[in-house]
Amino acid sequence: MSDHSGPVAPVEAYEPPYCVAVFTTVRTQEQSGYSETNARMVEPVKDVPEFLGVDHAQTPGGLGVTVGYFRDADALTQWRANAEHRAAQKRGQAEWYQSCTVHVAKVERSYGLRRA
């Protein structure tokens, strides 16, 4: 879901508390429509008030990890209830994911480093 046209950088460290949703996947061989749907999800999540950002990483072995950052649980609930997002979830479960997990947590400490 990230826009990789600019420099690669993690989502900044925000003042806690805030919420994260960690979505971990292993994909199937069938990926028809995945890239387009994944790219499309960037737009509706940006419309969620209090959306802070998203990080994504994919290992060569196929494990994908996406972390969505939200200012509060209400914002995360709004994203979870988005109709387009729900449709993408259903298609992912039916076609694109061999396995997946979602972990939701409240961040109590956050810090980072950025070199000039």
Side-chain angles (χ1 to χ4, degrees):
M1 291 176 57
S2 301
D3 175 10
H4 294 292
S5 60
V8 174
V11 170
E12 67 181 90
Y14 287 94
E15 183 64 33
Y18 56 93
C19 294
V20 295
V22 182
F23 180 50
T24 308
T25 64
V26 175
R27 290 195 238 163
T28 64
Q29 293 295 317
E30 174 52 50
Q31 293 297 294
S32 176
Y34 176 84
S35 294
E36 297 83 1
T37 301
N38 189 47
R40 173 67 195 128
M41 290 298 99
V42 173
E43 294 310 312
V45 77
K46 285 181 181 177
D47 292 339
V48 174
E50 307 300 329
F51 169 68
L52 302 174
V54 64
D55 285 325
H56 176 77
Q58 186 82 34
T59 70
L63 181 68
V65 179
T66 301
V67 183
Y69 302 85
F70 297 84
R71 175 49 58 200
D72 55 37
D74 290 341
L76 182 54
T77 298
Q78 185 175 344
W79 173 236
R80 192 179 77 179
N82 176 279
E84 194 171 357
H85 180 225
R86 299 290 295 174
Q89 285 177 320
K90 286 182 182 181
R91 188 164 179 201
Q93 292 167 359
E95 299 176 36
W96 299 323
Y97 302 125
Q98 182 68 37
S99 63
C100 62
T101 58
V102 177
H103 305 276
V104 177
K106 178 179 166 185
V107 175
E108 296 181 5
R109 183 173 28 181
S110 182
Y111 52 92
L113 166 75
R114 184 174 302 222
R115 295 190 194 279

